[in-house]
Amino acid sequence: MFNKKNFKEDIELILKIKYGNKLENALEEEKFYAISKAIMNILIDDWNKTKNKYNKGKEAYYFSAEYLMGRALGNNLINLGIYDEIKEVLSELNIDLNDIESKEEDAGLGNGGLGRLAACFMDSSATLNLPLTGYGLRYNYGIFEQAFGDGFQLEKANDWLKNDDPWSIKKEDETVIVNLNNKTIRAVPYDTPIIGYDTKNTNTLRLWEAHPIEDFDFSLFNDQEYDKAVEKKNRAEDITRVLYPNDSTEKGKILRLEQQYLLASASLKDLIRKFKNKNIDISNFPQYNKIQLNDTHPVVAIPELIRILIDEEGTDFDTAWNICKQTFSYTNHTILQEALEKWYVPLFREVLPRIYEIITIISEKLIDELKHNELSEDKVNNMKIINHDLIHMAWLAIYACHTVNGVAALHTEILKNQELNNWYELYPEKFQNKTNGITPRRWLALSNPELTNFLEELLGTKDFIKDLDILKKLEKFIDDEEKLNKLLEIKKEKKLQLKEYIKIQESIEIDENSIFDIQIKRLHEYKRQLLNAFHILDLYYRLKENPSMNIEKRTFIFGAKAAPGYFRAKAIIKYINEIAKLINNDEEIKGKIKVVFVHNYNVSYGEKLFPAADLSEQISTAGKEASGTGNMKFMLNATPTIGTLDGANVEIVEEAGMENNFIFGAHSEEIEEMKKNDSYNPREYYENVKGLKRVVDTLIDGTFDDNSTGMFRNIYDSLLNTNGWERPDNYFIFKDFDDYRRAQEHVDKAYKDKRNWAKKCWMNMINAGKFNSDRTISQYAKEIWNIDSKKI
């Protein structure tokens, strides 16, 4: 029960103890910390009760390199059911809750969809009272903070912990020791509460921070060897300093491998310690513990569990192998071969010699099995875990795990029929689909309270915040003009909020009466931000030729980070910013189109962007996007999709209707056929599709300046010239350009009819139920982990 008096006293006490300050003199950051810690005091007892309840039975564990959590304060208050009460109390103290929320740093623990999915799963598991604990790494600087300098991406440290993190508790007494080949590390756990919605259950995200055995060598310092005195400390702490350190050099690759091993080893040692406290024979470990490997980053956990069982628990290999096979399951998040992680044998063997030895045993075991099944020599070679001096981590995962799942219906079918077909033919029983989802708590209740209140008014209940399928009841209002107008009013309000936010963040004015056409996601060639850019430039040139063109005003908004070592992705960012500079400074087009590339796109920015969007850009090359979850966030916030039949887009149009979205482009089967027959010639499109050559040539004809970096020439060459293994226009931008342009013209025409546009928005919103991460995680629980709900 929330106690107003106690809460106020807690805030005052925390400010006094932590900062030696009183409320009236406290900085906003200090108030945020004190308020958050006071809320921790409210939830701590239920958190401990949940841990104790779960510890008595079977549990599941999510091993992930990323958790893109976003800010915690607002989300925690909604899940605790005390948002309004806290807002009222703070108002009495002359504190604006919205101002305080803005002082929280986004936890820098993730980069893209992989990490955001993990965060949604943690929220859903707590809400469903499922015994799932997350394991990851506590990156001190996380993913980089993005800025732009002359249109180029600039990266700087994201010091998200500079004001401390009130939501985590250091558990020094549960530190574990991890041995790497040349150093010994203390892995110190920090626990973060994951609060369930409409329940007292509070789950745990445990993150490991790397520390040396000895922080400081006093003798070396005394000998004036100041750098050497802290050298071991620095090398140890490097392991959890940054998410995905640049691995373009051998040192970077070693650091990444050390990160992965630290996550795997520390987490497994923690689990085994907990299990041994039950005084149950180790052979029963899988009956109490199920581990989900989120992509290939934590797959080194497989040989590490075998190593621990043999070297530290005294089992034989066969026993360890059987335990392993029953414990692990693996989620594949990619169709891209280059993204299926592989390790160079000499490097891996140098860093983890014992683990390499175990992988060689597993590899030989697999080869024997493949030969026993009379597979051809070609197939055996293609399926070897160790092949051509490379360790194939995905093959290790598929062989050792009892279940392998894709993350959208199309993705899973492509895995079964193409990319992992050899494995599917051998182990059809292992393969499952688990279409991704998003949590309605953050992506509706928190980010769009206006829409949430409207839906509650229509339904007479808040139950849809857990059960999105309830929204289907609102189909009866599809011809209700008053309700449709109200939806458009809410969208306008969210657009005005975004307009104000962009003005503050980017110093750019945008027109709330324009179509907000938004593409926000990681920058990768297959996601085809470049196709979007080409279309914008083509539209600009057509406007210049025909200033009286009757089009709806359009604001094109991008948000994306490129990996620091990804040259071409960074070139695309520069190119889009050059296009923005050209268009936004041209008064002749009378503001009909505008381009904005928001900087440092993250969860908190997303909470402003998703609800304000009129059009959701999901334009990846068909067959390349495993699922996507941004598409689901837009859909839930009443936004139609313009996209290819790729990833979860396929299921989105199945649910909301093809007529309520804008689908274009070659299908995955057509693309596969062109690849197989080598029948795609991008130059034909370049020469013959009206307007295409003109925009593509801006990369090399001096229209735009890349500061003599060669960036734009590199993009141009990738589209038209064969480069080693890379075929020209590998992502079929030219193939889909004209069809995309037609789809955008259809958008323009459809938007003019506001009533029918509102219907498209309505049908997307009310049919988003399938994409609730509660549904996804309950399927994992029943069909993979076999765990039950345990309510405290």
Side-chain angles (χ1 to χ4, degrees), residues 58-60 282-292 302 305-306 309 318-330 397-403 430 783-787:
K58 186 177 187 178
E59 298 182 62
I282 196 72
S283 62
N284 293 307
F285 184 80
Q287 280 66 61
Y288 290 84
N289 301 280
K290 295 294 179 187
I291 299 171
Q292 190 72 32
I302 292 167
L305 178 57
I306 292 173
L309 292 171
D318 287 343
T319 301
W321 178 244
N322 285 329
I323 290 170
C324 183
K325 285 196 298 179
Q326 295 174 66
T327 300
F328 287 107
S329 45
Y330 161 60
I398 296 167
Y399 182 45
C401 291
H402 58 80
T403 307
K430 287 192 180 194
E783 297 165 20
I784 297 180
W785 307 326
N786 194 23
I787 57 170

Side-chain angles (χ1 to χ4, degrees), residues 441-634:
R441 273 70 67 183
R442 183 173 293 274
W443 297 113
L444 182 60
L446 178 64
S447 62
N448 203 340
E450 298 85 355
L451 184 56
T452 304
N453 292 338
F454 177 48
L455 295 172
E456 184 184 355
E457 182 186 307
L458 293 178
L459 290 163
T461 178
K462 279 187 174 179
D463 289 353
F464 64 92
I465 296 174
K466 284 178 78 171
D467 183 3
L468 282 179
D469 283 331
I470 292 171
L471 295 178
K472 281 185 184 284
K473 292 180 180 179
L474 300 179
E475 189 164 356
K476 64 187 178 186
F477 295 120
I478 190 62
D479 291 309
D480 188 319
E481 198 149 344
E482 181 190 350
K483 307 295 188 296
L484 293 174
N485 285 337
K486 177 65 175 174
L487 179 64
L488 292 179
E489 284 171 23
I490 290 168
K491 183 68 77 172
K492 184 74 169 284
E493 187 177 349
K494 301 310 288 185
K495 289 171 76 171
L496 283 165
Q497 290 171 13
L498 178 62
K499 173 184 177 173
E500 188 59 33
Y501 193 73
I502 284 177
K503 185 178 178 181
I504 293 165
Q505 296 296 317
E506 316 298 337
S507 301
I508 296 175
E509 282 274 4
I510 60 175
D511 184 353
E512 71 276 11
N513 296 308
S514 63
I515 298 172
F516 282 13
D517 180 327
I518 303 183
Q519 186 175 20
I520 42 176
K521 51 185 75 239
R522 188 166 53 89
L523 204 305
H524 195 289
E525 288 165 89
Y526 85 80
K527 294 177 185 287
R528 299 203 297 190
Q529 285 93 345
L530 188 59
L531 174 61
N532 192 346
F534 282 160
H535 167 257
I536 294 167
L537 193 55
D538 174 69
L539 180 58
Y540 168 73
Y541 284 138
R542 287 187 285 137
L543 268 174
K544 292 287 282 183
E545 289 170 346
N546 181 11
S548 61
M549 235 175 105
N550 180 24
I551 63 165
E552 291 291 314
K553 285 186 175 180
R554 186 88 67 115
T555 301
F556 297 96
I557 301 174
F558 293 86
K561 291 180 180 178
Y566 194 169
F567 182 79
R568 196 171 296 153
K570 295 171 91 166
I572 292 167
I573 289 177
K574 169 65 173 169
Y575 183 61
I576 293 169
N577 280 326
E578 285 292 301
I579 291 170
K581 187 162 65 173
L582 172 70
I583 291 173
N584 298 349
N585 291 314
D586 189 337
E587 294 181 10
E588 283 185 12
I589 61 169
K590 298 181 172 60
K592 286 184 178 177
I593 58 175
K594 197 157 204 174
V595 182
V596 181
F597 205 127
V598 304
H599 79 283
N600 203 43
Y601 171 59
N602 57 15
V603 174
S604 295
Y605 222 137
E607 288 166 14
K608 304 284 194 304
L609 288 158
F610 287 110
D614 291 307
L615 190 65
S616 161
E617 293 271 357
Q618 308 299 330
I619 59 176
S620 54
T621 311
K624 293 295 183 187
E625 185 70 82
S627 168
T629 55
N631 45 8
M632 302 167 188
K633 293 161 199 160
F634 282 119

